[in-house]
Amino acid sequence: MPSLLLFSLDDKTSESKRERSFELERIVFFSDAVFAIAITLLALELRVPDLPIETSDALLRAIVSEWPKFLAFTLSFWIIAQYWVAHHRYFRHIFHYDVGLIWLNLLLLFWIVLIPFTTSVLGEYGNFTSAIWLYALNLIALGLSNALLWRHATQKHRLGASDLDELTIRQMQLRALSVSVAAVIVILLTFVVDGFATFGFLLIFVFQRLITKRYPSHAK
Amino acid sequence: MPSLLLFSLDDKTSESKRERSFELERIVFFSDAVFAIAITLLALELRVPDLPIETSDALLRAIVSEWPKFLAFTLSFWIIAQYWVAHHRYFRHIFHYDVGLIWLNLLLLFWIVLIPFTTSVLGEYGNFTSAIWLYALNLIALGLSNALLWRHATQKHRLGASDLDELTIRQMQLRALSVSVAAVIVILLTFVVDGFATFGFLLIFVFQRLITKRYPSHAK
Amino acid sequence: MPSLLLFSLDDKTSESKRERSFELERIVFFSDAVFAIAITLLALELRVPDLPIETSDALLRAIVSEWPKFLAFTLSFWIIAQYWVAHHRYFRHIFHYDVGLIWLNLLLLFWIVLIPFTTSVLGEYGNFTSAIWLYALNLIALGLSNALLWRHATQKHRLGASDLDELTIRQMQLRALSVSVAAVIVILLTFVVDGFATFGFLLIFVFQRLITKRYPSHAK
Amino acid sequence: MPSLLLFSLDDKTSESKRERSFELERIVFFSDAVFAIAITLLALELRVPDLPIETSDALLRAIVSEWPKFLAFTLSFWIIAQYWVAHHRYFRHIFHYDVGLIWLNLLLLFWIVLIPFTTSVLGEYGNFTSAIWLYALNLIALGLSNALLWRHATQKHRLGASDLDELTIRQMQLRALSVSVAAVIVILLTFVVDGFATFGFLLIFVFQRLITKRYPSHAK
């Protein structure tokens, strides 16, 4: 019996099941709720079109002609999803919290909450440079906040993450910044290809995939 | 006393109470939040009608004349509820997670998030074939994502579910696909009965009920 | 030491800390999210007024003239709050779940999700009998679903609640039904006092207060 | 082994990990969800502008001209964030609940839910005294509810908080009231500087920072 007991206690303190405090769980929980609401509100921009003549074909054409909105919606859904997965990845290694973490996390959420707005501008006026810039600036701020959060948590192994080596920490940092880099590239692209620069945002997923391929160890 | 202790520890590791990792709980939690928001946003499509003449009777008539919107709302509420219950049923048997599960789950949520939009199109233009098709395509994608998620989780008992036999796993698979089948039937129906094909969506509930009746073992 | 251990284990299995399964927690969690979203969406009906002439006084007058909307908002906020507290009270005694509980709980949420819509109709056309009826019907359905849920959970102590005596169970039942009774009274009032019947909804809070006063034992 | 066991049990009952009841967790959870929804809905007020002439420059100018809305959004985001952090701070010391806590918490949420509305009025008509007053009144009510909640929880160490000395409790009380004080100052300012009084709301953050500097012990 004693060995069984030891095992059970041991199991509890192992990395994967180490208990987070109720307060840290609340921070994570609140963030999850904000991510979930922002990702669902994206679809509110997809509106039932008004039809000049009410026929089934007119409806079909009206919906198809809204493709830039669907593209913007899809893009933002997967970008927010990407950030949620990153948040998930970070907090798997964070076991403590301090005032800094709370406010940096709120700063990250501030930029997440703005995504539905910048997405709707992109969906409506995606052929305009200013709409692309607005969206790109949102992503740059998001990427920087994410990198700040991760640096704050891992510096001197402040908030846990003692199981991670310096190299992995830096690689996860690069990953966060890659979104900002992609957005900067898109801004530069607007000087060359104008309205089509929107497609440059797909670089985000290319970058993520490349990093995942390159460092499969921390892919999850 | 030792026996009491053993019992207590034993109880903890039993199937129903086996602890999921904090990370898996976050995935489930995030999904629940998205399901909850999508199901509540459905009602946003029900709007206060503008009245040509402001009388109590005019209000009553205006609300009654919105019955297709109420029908679409009710249909989608119970379809999302159905998917939430299915998600609930799946994760009762899932005890681990991997990158695949995270992204397949996000894919499922992508189609859930679109439901309020396709519902509002159906509520407004339910008599048009194109509105029915749009809604049916959303359900087909939803059913397929659901089936993919379940296959990924159960293949080679990858993510838990060691307590399920092959037959039960396959029956739950069929159940997920039955929604897609119902949606395909509705699409075929539009060639025959046109606008009335909407009522074909009720097949979803008939199918679910039949499967529950047929295999009561995993009814919950 | 053994006694300490015993105490600790004992403590865990005591009523108040008895562990619910992950699945039951998900049901409660999902419900909480729906309650929270519905209660927050209520405020979406409060809109920034358009001003004929743009002055500070005109704004003040415009906001004051929207008092029926504020009244409807306040009424619905506290009614949903009341139902959330009731849900909280019920699940304090529910420790298991079955298919019936899942679907009856979803039925309850169906009526909760409709509240923002019926509230906005009441806020806009509160002087019309049909608006009052619509709102009252929503509350009647809500009260009945609540009573059904509680009956299902407590019948033959099906889903826990073994700590409650028959009398307390029946009193909590009456409490759920009191909302429906208040709504029925309001419907009857519309035949007598017409538009002013809205104020009859305040009976809900009077009833709850009376019941709490009468049976302080299960006040929480 | 016994010492290990003792340690483990001891650890569990330590302040930071002391288990809250499932019911208290639900209250906190529900509050978190309402905070998260209210903070995300703020951004719904930022709308895609209609353009008189459709050019990239016109879009840029239209967005820039909406700066009062962005200011109001940013202000309210950080005020709600501030309240969420305060809520977080309070419940770190609350380990029990009673009817009073439930209803005072709901009262706090009532004022939180109203913030998106008063924010949108401020964003649209921030140069009008009546808009500033409306927003200020909302904050005053919020600050008072917060102070009431904290007083109820800590009076005679009613709901836990036995680890806090009288002085710290009173300092946290002052902190809650400082928001109301800032709002009162803004109202007084409207008599002097009129429309510019909005900037007075920044006092909230100055006050919070001063208090944090002054009493770093309970900064988190």
Side-chain angles (χ1 to χ4, degrees):
Chain A
M1 188 219 95
S3 67
L4 174 64
L5 188 61
L6 267 168
F7 174 79
S8 163
L9 290 168
D10 206 59
D11 196 52
K12 251 198 183 145
T13 51
S14 78
E15 197 61 74
S16 72
K17 289 194 180 168
R18 210 201 291 173
E19 249 176 89
R20 277 157 187 85
S21 66
F22 179 60
E23 290 87 39
L24 185 55
E25 278 185 17
R26 266 195 83 176
I27 296 172
V28 170
F29 170 88
F30 179 74
S31 312
D32 275 355
V34 171
F35 275 110
I37 301 157
I39 218 170
T40 316
L41 287 186
L42 286 175
L44 280 192
E45 276 315 305
L46 307 173
R47 293 269 165 74
V48 187
D50 284 325
L51 301 183
I53 33 157
E54 301 225 338
T55 67
S56 181
D57 279 359
L59 176 63
L60 189 65
R61 271 193 302 273
I63 288 172
V64 169
S65 76
E66 282 196 331
W67 69 266
K69 288 194 176 184
F70 287 99
L71 194 72
F73 162 75
T74 308
L75 181 69
S76 290
F77 182 95
W78 292 106
I79 287 178
I80 295 184
Q82 190 82 56
Y83 275 100
W84 177 76
V85 172
H87 201 266
H88 195 262
R89 206 184 292 122
Y90 293 169
F91 279 83
R92 205 180 310 138
H93 303 289
I94 295 178
F95 288 93
H96 310 289
Y97 76 100
D98 58 6
V99 208
L101 184 77
I102 291 181
W103 290 104
L104 285 173
N105 190 49
L106 283 166
L107 184 63
L108 176 67
L109 296 180
F110 180 77
W111 302 114
I112 288 289
V113 161
L114 274 173
I115 292 264
F117 167 66
T118 54
T119 301
S120 66
V121 173
L122 190 73
E124 189 77 33
Y125 302 113
N127 50 331
F128 291 163
T129 315
S130 50
I132 298 173
W133 278 51
L134 186 75
Y135 192 79
L137 286 173
N138 196 344
L139 291 188
I140 291 171
L142 206 44
L144 289 177
S145 305
N146 221 8
L148 267 176
L149 180 77
W150 184 236
R151 202 186 61 153
H152 177 81
T154 54
Q155 235 178 9
K156 301 175 205 158
H157 296 294
R158 201 183 315 194
L159 307 170
S162 58
D163 54 328
L164 290 180
D165 55 297
E166 216 45 59
L167 191 70
T168 314
I169 289 175
R170 214 159 325 137
Q171 284 163 2
M172 284 172 80
Q173 190 66 286
L174 282 176
R175 193 173 187 145
L177 288 172
S178 76
V179 179
S180 300
V181 172
V184 168
I185 292 175
V186 169
I187 288 182
L188 296 175
L189 271 178
T190 58
F191 293 105
V192 193
V193 292
D194 211 68
F196 290 95
T198 318
F199 296 99
F201 289 119
L202 298 175
L203 275 175
I204 292 166
F205 304 106
V206 178
F207 285 3
Q208 295 292 326
R209 183 137 282 254
L210 284 178
I211 297 171
T212 306
K213 274 257 169 68
R214 184 79 184 72
Y215 310 111
S217 61
H218 55 95
K220 283 207 286 196
Chain B
M1 188 221 95
S3 66
L4 174 64
L5 187 63
L6 267 167
F7 174 79
S8 163
L9 289 169
D10 206 58
D11 196 52
K12 250 195 182 146
T13 51
S14 78
E15 197 62 75
S16 71
K17 289 194 180 170
R18 209 200 292 174
E19 250 177 88
R20 278 157 186 85
S21 66
F22 179 60
E23 291 87 39
L24 185 55
E25 278 185 17
R26 266 195 83 175
I27 297 172
V28 170
F29 170 88
F30 179 74
S31 313
D32 275 354
V34 171
F35 274 109
I37 302 158
I39 218 171
T40 316
L41 287 185
L42 285 176
L44 280 192
E45 276 315 305
L46 307 173
R47 292 270 165 75
V48 188
D50 285 325
L51 300 183
I53 32 156
E54 301 224 339
T55 66
S56 182
D57 280 359
L59 177 62
L60 189 66
R61 270 194 302 273
I63 287 171
V64 169
S65 76
E66 282 195 330
W67 69 266
K69 287 194 177 184
F70 287 99
L71 193 73
F73 162 75
T74 308
L75 180 69
S76 291
F77 182 95
W78 292 106
I79 286 177
I80 294 185
Q82 189 81 55
Y83 275 101
W84 178 75
V85 173
H87 201 266
H88 196 261
R89 206 182 292 123
Y90 292 168
F91 279 82
R92 205 180 310 140
H93 303 288
I94 296 179
F95 288 92
H96 309 290
Y97 75 101
D98 59 6
V99 209
L101 185 76
I102 291 181
W103 291 104
L104 284 174
N105 191 49
L106 283 166
L107 184 63
L108 175 67
L109 297 179
F110 180 77
W111 301 115
I112 288 288
V113 161
L114 274 173
I115 292 263
F117 167 65
T118 54
T119 301
S120 65
V121 173
L122 189 73
E124 189 78 33
Y125 302 112
N127 49 332
F128 290 164
T129 314
S130 50
I132 298 173
W133 277 52
L134 186 75
Y135 193 79
L137 286 173
N138 197 344
L139 291 188
I140 291 171
L142 206 44
L144 289 176
S145 305
N146 221 8
L148 267 177
L149 180 77
W150 183 236
R151 202 186 61 154
H152 177 82
T154 54
Q155 235 177 9
K156 301 173 206 158
H157 296 295
R158 201 183 315 195
L159 306 170
S162 57
D163 54 327
L164 290 180
D165 56 297
E166 217 45 58
L167 191 70
T168 314
I169 289 175
R170 216 161 320 139
Q171 283 162 2
M172 284 172 79
Q173 190 65 288
L174 281 176
R175 193 173 186 143
L177 288 172
S178 74
V179 178
S180 301
V181 171
V184 169
I185 292 175
V186 169
I187 288 184
L188 296 176
L189 271 177
T190 58
F191 292 106
V192 192
V193 292
D194 212 68
F196 289 95
T198 318
F199 296 99
F201 289 118
L202 299 175
L203 275 174
I204 292 167
F205 304 106
V206 177
F207 283 5
Q208 296 292 326
R209 184 136 283 253
L210 284 179
I211 297 171
T212 306
K213 274 256 168 71
R214 184 77 184 73
Y215 311 112
S217 62
H218 55 94
K220 283 206 288 195
Chain C
M1 189 220 94
S3 66
L4 174 65
L5 187 62
L6 266 167
F7 175 78
S8 162
L9 289 169
D10 205 59
D11 196 52
K12 250 193 183 151
T13 51
S14 77
E15 197 62 75
S16 72
K17 289 194 180 170
R18 210 200 293 172
E19 249 177 88
R20 278 157 187 85
S21 66
F22 179 61
E23 290 87 40
L24 184 56
E25 278 184 16
R26 266 195 84 176
I27 296 172
V28 170
F29 169 89
F30 179 75
S31 312
D32 274 355
V34 171
F35 275 110
I37 301 158
I39 217 170
T40 315
L41 287 186
L42 285 176
L44 280 192
E45 275 315 304
L46 307 173
R47 292 271 164 75
V48 188
D50 284 325
L51 301 182
I53 33 157
E54 300 225 340
T55 67
S56 182
D57 280 358
L59 177 62
L60 189 65
R61 271 193 301 273
I63 287 171
V64 169
S65 76
E66 282 195 331
W67 68 266
K69 287 195 176 182
F70 286 98
L71 194 73
F73 161 74
T74 308
L75 180 70
S76 291
F77 182 95
W78 291 106
I79 287 177
I80 295 185
Q82 190 82 53
Y83 275 100
W84 177 75
V85 173
H87 201 266
H88 196 262
R89 206 183 294 123
Y90 293 167
F91 279 81
R92 205 180 311 138
H93 302 289
I94 295 178
F95 288 91
H96 309 290
Y97 75 100
D98 59 6
V99 209
L101 186 76
I102 291 182
W103 291 104
L104 284 174
N105 191 47
L106 283 166
L107 184 64
L108 175 67
L109 296 179
F110 180 78
W111 301 115
I112 288 288
V113 161
L114 274 173
I115 291 264
F117 167 66
T118 54
T119 301
S120 66
V121 173
L122 189 73
E124 190 77 32
Y125 302 112
N127 49 330
F128 291 164
T129 314
S130 49
I132 298 172
W133 277 51
L134 186 74
Y135 192 79
L137 287 173
N138 197 344
L139 292 188
I140 290 171
L142 206 43
L144 290 176
S145 305
N146 221 9
L148 268 177
L149 180 76
W150 183 237
R151 202 186 61 154
H152 177 81
T154 54
Q155 235 177 9
K156 301 174 205 158
H157 297 295
R158 199 182 318 193
L159 306 170
S162 58
D163 54 328
L164 291 179
D165 55 295
E166 216 46 58
L167 190 70
T168 314
I169 289 175
R170 215 161 321 138
Q171 283 162 1
M172 286 173 78
Q173 191 66 289
L174 281 177
R175 193 174 186 141
L177 288 173
S178 75
V179 179
S180 301
V181 171
V184 168
I185 293 175
V186 170
I187 288 183
L188 296 176
L189 272 177
T190 58
F191 292 104
V192 192
V193 293
D194 212 66
F196 289 94
T198 318
F199 296 99
F201 289 120
L202 298 175
L203 275 176
I204 293 167
F205 304 106
V206 177
F207 284 3
Q208 295 293 325
R209 184 136 283 252
L210 285 179
I211 298 171
T212 306
K213 274 255 168 69
R214 184 79 185 71
Y215 310 112
S217 62
H218 56 96
K220 282 206 288 195
Chain D
M1 190 219 94
S3 67
L4 174 64
L5 187 62
L6 267 167
F7 174 80
S8 162
L9 289 169
D10 206 59
D11 196 53
K12 251 194 184 149
T13 52
S14 79
E15 196 61 75
S16 71
K17 290 193 180 170
R18 210 202 291 174
E19 248 176 271
R20 278 157 186 85
S21 66
F22 180 61
E23 290 87 39
L24 184 55
E25 278 184 17
R26 266 194 83 176
I27 296 172
V28 170
F29 171 90
F30 179 74
S31 313
D32 275 355
V34 171
F35 275 110
I37 301 157
I39 217 170
T40 316
L41 287 185
L42 285 175
L44 280 192
E45 275 315 304
L46 307 173
R47 292 270 164 74
V48 188
D50 285 326
L51 301 182
I53 33 157
E54 301 225 339
T55 67
S56 182
D57 280 357
L59 176 62
L60 189 65
R61 271 194 301 274
I63 287 171
V64 168
S65 75
E66 282 196 331
W67 69 266
K69 287 194 176 183
F70 287 99
L71 195 73
F73 162 75
T74 308
L75 181 69
S76 291
F77 182 95
W78 292 106
I79 286 177
I80 295 184
Q82 190 81 55
Y83 276 100
W84 177 75
V85 173
H87 201 266
H88 195 262
R89 206 183 293 123
Y90 293 168
F91 279 82
R92 205 181 310 138
H93 303 289
I94 295 177
F95 289 92
H96 309 290
Y97 75 100
D98 58 7
V99 208
L101 186 77
I102 291 182
W103 291 105
L104 284 173
N105 192 48
L106 283 166
L107 184 64
L108 175 67
L109 296 179
F110 180 78
W111 301 114
I112 288 288
V113 161
L114 274 173
I115 292 265
F117 167 66
T118 54
T119 301
S120 66
V121 173
L122 190 73
E124 189 77 32
Y125 302 112
N127 49 331
F128 290 164
T129 315
S130 49
I132 298 173
W133 278 51
L134 186 75
Y135 192 79
L137 287 173
N138 196 343
L139 291 188
I140 290 171
L142 206 43
L144 289 176
S145 306
N146 221 9
L148 267 177
L149 180 76
W150 183 236
R151 202 186 62 154
H152 177 81
T154 54
Q155 236 178 7
K156 303 176 204 156
H157 297 294
R158 198 181 317 192
L159 307 170
S162 58
D163 55 327
L164 290 180
D165 55 296
E166 216 45 59
L167 191 70
T168 314
I169 289 175
R170 214 160 323 136
Q171 283 163 2
M172 285 174 78
Q173 189 65 287
L174 282 176
R175 194 174 186 140
L177 288 172
S178 76
V179 179
S180 300
V181 172
V184 169
I185 292 175
V186 170
I187 288 183
L188 296 175
L189 271 177
T190 57
F191 292 105
V192 191
V193 294
D194 213 68
F196 289 95
T198 318
F199 296 99
F201 288 119
L202 298 174
L203 275 176
I204 292 167
F205 304 105
V206 177
F207 284 3
Q208 296 292 325
R209 183 136 283 251
L210 285 178
I211 297 170
T212 306
K213 274 256 167 70
R214 184 77 184 73
Y215 311 111
S217 61
H218 55 96
K220 283 208 286 196

